[in-house]
Amino acid sequence: MPPLLEVTNLSTEFRTGLGTVPAVDGISYTVDRGETVAIVGESGSGKTASALALLRLIPDPPGRISGGRVLFNGRDLLRLSDAEMREVRGGDIGMVFQEPMTSLNPVLTIGRQITETLEQHRGADRITAHHRAIELLGLVGIADPLRRLKQYPHQLSGGMRQRIMIAIAIACDPKLIIADEPTTALDVTIQAQILELMKSLTRRLDAALIVITHNLGVVARYANRVNVMYAGRIVESGPAQAVYHHPGHPYTMALLRSVPRLDRPRQARLDPIAGQPPDLTRLDGGCAFRPRCRFAVEACARRRPAMAPTRAAGHFAACLRSDEIAVATEVAV
Amino acid sequence: MNAVATANTDRPPLLEVRGLRMHFPITEGVLIGRKLGEVKAVDGVDFAIRRGETLGLVGESGCGKTTTGRCILRLERPTAGEVRFNGVDILALEGRELLALRRRIQVIFQDPYSSLNPRMKVGEIIAEPIRVHGIERDAARRARRVGELLSVCGLDPKFADRYPHEMSGGQRQRVGIARALALEPEFIVCDEAVSALDVSIQAQIINLLEGLREQFNLTYLFIAHDLSVVRHLCQRVAVMYLGRIVELAASDELFDNPLHPYTQALLAAVPVPDPEVEGRRGFRPLAGEVPSPINPPPGCVFHPRCPMAVADCQRTRPELREIRPGHWVACSQVDPPAWREAFAQSSVGRKDGKIPVVSS
Ligand SMILES: Nc1ncnc2c1ncn2[C@@H]1O[C@H](COP(=O)(O)OP(=O)(O)OP(=O)(O)O)[C@@H](O)[C@H]1O
Ligand SMILES: [Mg+2]
């Protein structure tokens, strides 16, 4: 069976006063039915831009999808008409963003926002939509749904608003949910509630989930597979276990080493990644991580390495010295 | 109550907070200002910090961490309680004495961008406190001092000529730290000082803070919601919930052996960056949300969400008790083990029930 989603060479750029920013630079990945795939990376690495590009929500200008193909359920989303694309967004693909306050409409009641989605995408009548809205609030764990449906977003807590966003995202039984930093603005215990809720709902609906996060712990707890982004590219991808235990890219390895761990007593000083993430307007032809990389050699300046298989099945890394690094980590562990 | 008792017997702690309360009135009407109620942001907090130590203050948003820090910085006038710095009650200080205190206690904020004046060059930002306090009147020598501070914080002295918006988040945080160090303080309140930074940059700043602590014998109150960072950086940790400290212990003790049900839930909620460990962990998230500090629940403020609550928890507010040496918990369901009695009988035990700090 072909994957549910197949992204090939997707690119997006932004024209800014300081030059063109290649925010997403030829990324490719797949998502199978029902699986959870994480996209992890630091600020500015292109995580959000890559998700917006697949949904064709890149603001133009200044942005533009500059190439690629996005096959979803057999159709290329980049070739759909605007009307067809609107049908997909909120229909077969549900979306959850970081700040529900900005994605929810402040002047419409919660109830109206949910029923609107149902009317638009599923042609439901008002009564049916209302009953389904009550059911949806139950699914996302909101008590007293009749009262909540009459309220406005500002009357709810951050965690509650995120539950509403999830209710809207799942309203039309999507095959795929894209969640961009769905819990970053929330407190730790609420974060855990929301993530557990998303996990149980995606299972129940047999929906696939793309979760975008900078939190390496969230990836470890929830993702089957992970794509690591750096400077607009996916530099490593594979099953979460393989990527965490045998990283094939020096960036992934350095990232994992630089975080303090809750489950281990303090050892020594942390081992940070030196330097800063690159300015995307000034990338040269070499590997973008090279200036911060402890394994960099002269050849790394000549070209940006392509993704290549590592020793584990389904595990790829974009590094010339991937094999040597895999050996180095094994020695270190 | 003797929750402050982590202090060493022969030397007073550098900072001592006792019975701290900060209740903000909620008023209606601009002119009449009828009082409708109050937000109990901090509601009876006790702790002490020894010189050279880093105490972590953790908890979810609105639990009173920042307000506690602001009371210590004299940015807020507490409703009740004492804050002693080197044995002196700082809440009573005014004028010159207060100015002198401000030199010794500094702060590093979360958002380096909003805490730095965008129209001032980095050099001016760092020199300002030195000038205001009249420490170095000679401009050339002041500039040299700024250069030194920048290099101590890992920045090229040339950055003095830049504006904050020309720098990255990590670089701006280094400027904020350099400014805090300008007056050679003894004590720094770090309020979410690394929270806004990316993982790779966060590690750089954490190492910088640790290095400075050793180099200048600094003492930190480290306010943060990221528990992994706190475990790494702090010798002792206090967990707050709804304006109160619910648990306080040495860092490893707290993380390896949390006793308060809230601390346990908080730690379980944090995912660890290791799929194998996570696969084994299995947990159930805490239900419900943090109640409003306007009308906190009676008795133990945590009882509505607590999996261990019994009927009495709705009535009696649990005090912090020392369950093991240096390990304080405010929960009636945690039993002090038998050793405590044995300890009290022994010659090491003290009559007042205080236990000298054994571990830290
Ligand atoms: N509207 C825009 N105009 C100009 N540049 C943009 C715009 N949106 C994004 N960019 C640039 O594209 C790059 C990728 O940004 P993106 O928001 O995708 O990063 P991200 O990985 O989601 O980061 P974060 O973790 O901060 O959310 C960045 O260099 C960013 O500055
Ligand atoms: Mg983003």
Side-chain angles (χ1 to χ4, degrees):
Chain A
M1 195 148 73
L4 175 68
L5 178 78
E6 189 173 1
V7 177
T8 316
N9 267 324
L10 183 64
S11 295
T12 298
E13 56 188 36
F14 291 97
R15 278 147 295 177
T16 72
L18 298 168
T20 300
V21 178
V24 181
D25 188 10
I27 64 168
S28 303
Y29 66 96
T30 60
V31 179
D32 285 332
R33 271 157 233 280
E35 88 171 327
T36 294
V37 174
I39 299 181
V40 67
E42 294 180 275
S43 187
S45 59
K47 305 182 297 293
T48 297
S50 73
L52 293 179
L54 8 138
L55 293 163
R56 293 204 2 220
L57 288 173
I58 294 286
D60 179 3
R64 175 173 88 89
I65 296 172
S66 45
R69 199 180 59 175
V70 179
L71 279 185
F72 174 68
N73 229 357
R75 294 199 292 174
D76 186 353
L77 298 184
L78 300 187
R79 306 215 176 285
L80 297 187
S81 71
D82 287 352
E84 286 170 321
M85 194 60 213
R86 268 196 301 277
E87 193 44 51
V88 173
R89 285 193 297 261
D92 280 346
I93 303 184
M95 300 164 291
V96 180
F97 292 111
Q98 172 168 355
E99 200 8 90
M101 207 49 200
T102 54
S103 343
L104 288 171
N105 187 335
V107 300
L108 288 185
T109 61
I110 299 303
R112 189 63 202 123
Q113 303 194 45
I114 300 177
T115 53
E116 205 169 52
T117 305
L118 292 163
E119 288 164 24
Q120 187 198 329
H121 290 283
R122 293 294 179 258
D125 61 66
R126 283 226 159 186
I127 311 258
T128 320
H130 179 72
H131 285 299
R132 172 81 175 138
I134 293 171
E135 185 191 3
L136 284 165
L137 290 200
L139 278 176
V140 297
I142 291 184
D144 200 359
L146 284 174
R147 183 167 68 94
R148 295 297 182 194
L149 287 175
K150 292 193 203 105
Q151 290 185 315
Y152 291 88
H154 70 90
Q155 292 171 297
L156 305 177
S157 69
M160 204 84 91
R161 283 198 288 264
Q162 203 55 294
R163 287 177 192 268
I164 301 292
M165 282 299 297
I166 295 172
I168 295 173
I170 62 166
C172 304
D173 291 316
K175 299 188 175 61
L176 173 68
I177 299 172
I178 299 180
D180 186 359
E181 307 272 8
T183 61
T184 305
L186 304 173
D187 271 321
V188 182
T189 59
I190 307 300
Q191 217 168 62
Q193 290 174 358
I194 298 292
L195 289 166
E196 288 296 308
L197 173 67
M198 298 201 28
K199 178 173 144 185
S200 71
L201 286 174
T202 44
R203 262 200 207 150
R204 186 171 169 156
L205 302 170
D206 195 27
L209 175 67
I210 297 177
V211 59
I212 294 176
T213 178
H214 63 270
N215 186 324
L216 295 165
V218 168
V219 178
R221 188 177 279 180
Y222 296 101
N224 306 113
R225 287 191 302 127
V226 50
N227 296 315
V228 182
M229 283 191 80
Y230 191 78
R233 292 200 170 188
I234 293 177
V235 295
E236 177 152 10
S237 105
Q241 290 266 4
V243 170
Y244 275 70
H245 294 294
H246 307 283
H249 196 284
Y251 173 63
T252 316
M253 189 174 142
L255 204 57
L256 288 166
R257 281 193 177 185
S258 69
V259 288
R261 297 230 347 206
L262 187 72
D263 58 335
R264 286 189 192 155
R266 190 207 140 81
Q267 280 141 353
R269 284 278 155 84
L270 295 176
D271 191 3
I273 305 180
Q276 311 280 337
D279 175 351
L280 295 185
T281 58
R282 295 197 197 153
L283 292 178
D284 58 16
C287 169
F289 186 60
R290 176 178 95 249
R292 307 174 79 186
C293 181
R294 63 184 83 176
F295 298 96
V297 292
E298 230 175 274
C300 302
R302 286 200 282 275
R303 61 189 167 84
R304 292 184 85 175
M307 291 283 268
T310 69
R311 283 179 297 173
H315 182 188
F316 300 82
C319 174
L320 289 181
R321 306 188 65 197
S322 197
D323 292 346
E324 293 162 73
I325 288 153
V327 174
T329 34
E330 250 139 62
V331 175
V333 171
Chain B
M1 189 172 68
N2 53 12
V4 186
T6 38
N8 201 299
T9 38
D10 33 276
R11 226 174 144 201
L14 181 63
L15 185 91
E16 215 172 330
V17 171
R18 280 175 191 269
L20 190 71
R21 288 195 155 70
M22 182 73 234
H23 296 179
F24 295 103
I26 309 165
T27 51
E28 182 192 56
V30 186
L31 291 174
I32 309 159
R34 193 162 61 91
K35 194 167 151 192
L36 294 178
E38 48 187 15
V39 178
K40 294 178 176 154
V42 178
D43 199 26
V45 158
D46 307 78
F47 62 84
I49 311 180
R50 275 163 292 187
R51 193 177 286 278
E53 180 183 47
T54 298
L55 177 77
L57 197 54
V58 305
E60 297 179 274
S61 60
C63 72
K65 316 182 286 285
T66 292
T67 309
T68 301
R70 289 175 59 85
C71 289
I72 293 168
L73 291 160
R74 283 283 312 255
L75 296 171
E76 219 73 76
R77 209 168 240 302
T79 316
E82 262 176 44
V83 178
R84 293 186 171 274
F85 187 72
N86 255 329
V88 177
D89 183 1
I90 66 166
L91 299 180
L93 298 184
E94 312 229 13
R96 294 175 69 93
E97 283 175 333
L98 180 60
L99 199 67
L101 174 83
R102 293 215 188 279
R103 276 188 65 171
R104 299 165 71 189
I105 303 186
Q106 289 289 314
V107 60
I108 301 168
F109 291 109
Q110 164 166 13
D111 181 0
Y113 204 63
S114 62
S115 65
L116 303 177
N117 183 338
R119 279 180 289 277
M120 279 165 82
K121 284 188 180 169
V122 162
E124 294 164 345
I125 290 172
I126 299 171
E128 194 185 29
I130 307 178
R131 198 172 47 76
V132 169
H133 283 263
I135 290 159
E136 186 56 81
R137 289 176 205 282
D138 180 66
R141 261 186 288 181
R142 228 168 28 225
R144 204 172 320 135
R145 178 82 185 117
V146 167
E148 280 166 22
L149 287 162
L150 284 169
S151 1
V152 162
C153 294
L155 290 174
D156 190 314
K158 289 195 200 103
F159 274 93
D161 288 324
R162 294 215 193 170
Y163 288 95
H165 69 87
E166 297 171 323
M167 307 176 84
S168 71
Q171 289 168 337
R172 285 197 289 258
Q173 196 54 293
R174 290 177 192 270
V175 173
I177 296 171
R179 180 181 56 181
L181 290 176
L183 297 173
E184 297 174 29
E186 290 163 66
F187 180 73
I188 301 182
V189 175
C190 304
D191 191 352
E192 301 283 3
V194 300
S195 309
L197 303 172
D198 258 319
V199 183
S200 73
I201 307 300
Q202 193 177 60
Q204 296 175 3
I205 301 296
I206 290 170
N207 281 359
L208 173 64
L209 288 171
E210 288 194 272
L212 295 171
R213 178 177 66 198
E214 285 157 22
Q215 195 177 346
F216 301 111
N217 192 27
L218 294 169
T219 305
Y220 295 138
L221 174 63
F222 193 81
I223 299 172
H225 68 273
D226 186 326
L227 297 158
S228 316
V229 171
V230 166
R231 174 159 204 179
H232 176 81
L233 206 62
C234 302
Q235 279 90 46
R236 286 189 304 133
V237 179
V239 181
M240 282 186 81
Y241 187 78
L242 226 64
R244 303 170 191 194
I245 292 179
V246 296
E247 185 157 7
L248 191 159
S251 188
D252 284 341
E253 165 75 4
L254 187 107
F255 287 103
D256 291 336
N257 193 13
L259 295 176
H260 197 284
Y262 176 64
T263 312
Q264 292 171 350
L266 200 61
L267 297 187
V270 180
V272 168
D274 185 332
E276 213 170 275
V277 174
E278 281 304 326
R280 284 197 303 266
R281 246 174 125 198
F283 86 115
R284 287 194 44 207
L286 198 58
E289 300 196 1
V290 181
S292 154
I294 299 173
N295 264 320
C300 171
V301 284
F302 185 60
H303 85 256
R305 301 174 80 190
C306 183
M308 280 162 62
V310 296
D312 187 52
C313 300
Q314 300 171 25
R315 290 186 294 270
T316 320
R317 170 176 171 168
E319 295 296 334
L320 266 181
R321 292 177 300 148
E322 195 171 26
I323 300 285
R324 270 204 270 276
H327 194 153
W328 299 76
V329 186
C331 174
S332 63
Q333 296 306 294
V334 177
D335 266 337
W339 71 261
R340 199 167 198 284
E341 271 96 80
F343 191 80
Q345 314 287 312
S346 77
S347 55
V348 226
R350 294 170 30 169
K351 294 212 173 58
D352 59 5
K354 282 193 188 180
I355 293 160
V357 183
V358 186
S359 57
S360 72

